Amino acid sequence: MTTAATHCPYCALQCAMTLRRVGGTVTVEARDFPTNRGGLCQKGWTSADLLGHPERLTSPLLHGRPVSWDEALDFVAAGILAAQREHGPDAVGVFGGGGLTNEKAYTLGKFARTVLRTSTIDYNGRFCMSSAAAAGMRAFGLDRGLPFPVSDLGGADAVLLAGGNLAETMPPILRHLDGPGLIVVDPRVTATAARAALHLQNTPGTDLALANGLLHLAIAEGLLDPGYIAARTTGFDQVRATVANYWPARVERITGVPIEDMVRAVRMLGGARRAYVLTARGAEQHAKGTDTVSAFINLALALGLPGHRGGYGCVTGQGNGQGGREHGQKADQLPGYRRIDDPAAREHIAGIWGVRAQDLPGPGPSAYELLDGLGTSTKALLVFGSNPVVSAPRARHVTDRLKALDLLVVADLVLSETAALADVVLPTAQWAEEDGTMTNLEGRVIRRRKLMDPPEGVRTDLDILAALGDRLGVPVLAEPEAVFAELGTASAGGAADYAGISYDRIDAEDGVFWPCPDAAHPGTPRLFEEAFATPDGRARFVPVEHRPPAEDVCGEYPVYLTTGRVLTQYQSGAQTRRVGRLPGELFVELHPDLAGRLGVADGEPVTVTSRRGTVTAPARVSGAIRADTVFLPFHWAGVNALVNPALDPTSRMPEFKVCAVRVERP
């Protein structure tokens, strides 16, 4: 028997588990840890089912036929060189993922900029965390999803959660949210909203107006913390003037939330000894997502919460959504959460990487813009840890762009929908077959520990990148602990400073919170207690205005579509849809009034059509959804083909969470 104390391969809660292997059987046991407190969800309990799954890829595929690693890698290297010789370095792109370990995320960014010399790199975390990250940076000068341990939520008298269904997306976190003061903002009566003391059931796309309206009421009710505002913030007067226009009757008309519920929510937050404001994808995945998060941050600051008697936090979704954006996968960033257009950052990283600062490429296109340019500005693409055929907005268009490439290379453990289109598929190891680190939703750096070797014929992502580096004439580190040590050096002095973190220290301390600049530093579980990470140490209020969705309802498309996750599935479903013990099917949730108008009974097929595509699925008739809205879970191909790729001007987040559709009998 062999064992490994590790963490779940799915969401950013990164629940602790122990894997035990006896012969060919691997079992999962929950392990006590500050985040999950000995709990796991269905996805965690069944996570080992994929390790020996019959659909595991165990040989590289070249145009669909099994080939040797040498043949596959030689083909990839030749294709990269041909594309760059004819079209320049940026003709080869890299698309990464928020589930990759810190070591892989760092190496992928370094590989793109030193081996490929391309600026064409981004990752699917752009579709997840980017709006909250942008708002956090401009308010606090720093982005860490939760700037406090998740266990702090258990001591709160009130928690407002905007746009998250944690009871289905990360159920063990509810152990920290079992107090009487939970307020949920969501267009659906989700499993989380059903547990809440107060549910604010808003119209999709109106979260910003609601947040401004709540701040208006907080001012009117005398619930602000004027001492905190004066001592620790700037810009409140402008925000006060802005929210003066969000009087209760106007906000009720925009959002559909009753005035009495808004008043109750504000009194719960303002009267609490400790309170937290949290946002998640439902509030963030909009073309105004950054401004929406800023509106909720404004509310938290006005109440005197961050770094004082509670705080603001973003509930990170993907397993390494935090670490994945800190160390170089994003189009505009270098390791340590440095900006790639910062001359000092370029000099520092160039010195670590042994290149000239002027030879590092500049910022590249954001994720959707990168995908939209495939086949035109970008001729070859390497994909690691992502399945954009399912997960990207306007997904059918993205599929067409992928097909237009001269070379598509996908590293994956199964033949995902994206891998099925690839010229070359490279079989990769799973989380239990390699070592590495992850950074969970609290900013706690933790260990993924290897239980077993990958199947014969399968390589790790680091090994693949090293082998390609050899063929392209630039050496690439492949040993995880050595990569992490270099990552620490590269991040030193940056916002996300890992310099004082090592594998041994993570093992000894159950993880280490960044920033941690040296081995003597204790790590930083709680940010902003003394000052914010801005030049003057003060948090910034940012005035923001509500605006309608980029695509509002109309006569031809009279119903709102919103999307989200369900309990048994994760992200694009490439893994969870292959686990037989995780049941699930695509469905359309619609209100009985809408179903009655259509003459559709529960379980009968219904067609949802947007300006970009059509999906047909069984109806799930439920009073949990607004009468003007339908819901689709996005784990199945075709759903994201419907959504609007309109981009947030700051974060470049697409508007996943609201578009206009019509609903019909097929």
Side-chain angles (χ1 to χ4, degrees), residues 220 225 248 257 492:
D225 187 332
V257 177

Side-chain angles (χ1 to χ4, degrees), residues 348-431:
H348 173 78
I349 297 300
I352 303 298
W353 289 351
V355 298
R356 300 185 306 168
Q358 60 265 38
D359 291 338
L360 290 173
S366 71
Y368 179 75
E369 292 162 309
L370 187 160
L371 296 171
D372 189 42
L374 298 180
T376 53
S377 56
T378 303
K379 301 297 183 180
L381 183 69
L382 311 182
V383 179
F384 286 81
S386 189
N387 186 16
V389 166
V390 176
S391 63
R394 199 183 170 197
R396 291 198 178 103
H397 169 72
V398 169
T399 300
D400 290 340
R401 301 321 310 151
L402 288 164
K403 291 177 180 178
L405 288 164
D406 295 340
L407 175 66
L408 174 60
V409 181
V410 175
D412 212 331
L413 56 101
V414 294
L415 197 66
S416 67
E417 288 82 356
T418 305
L421 300 179
D423 300 288
V424 180
V425 182
L426 303 175
T428 59
Q430 292 196 53
W431 98 111

Side-chain angles (χ1 to χ4, degrees), residues 76-88 91-92:
V76 173
I80 289 170
L81 291 172
Q84 293 189 322
R85 188 165 48 245
E86 184 171 354
H87 303 286
V92 178

Side-chain angles (χ1 to χ4, degrees), residues 15 81 114 133 260-261 396 402 463 654 663:
C15 296
L81 291 172
T114 63
E260 57 267 30
D261 287 348
R396 291 198 178 103
L402 288 164
D463 287 333
V663 187

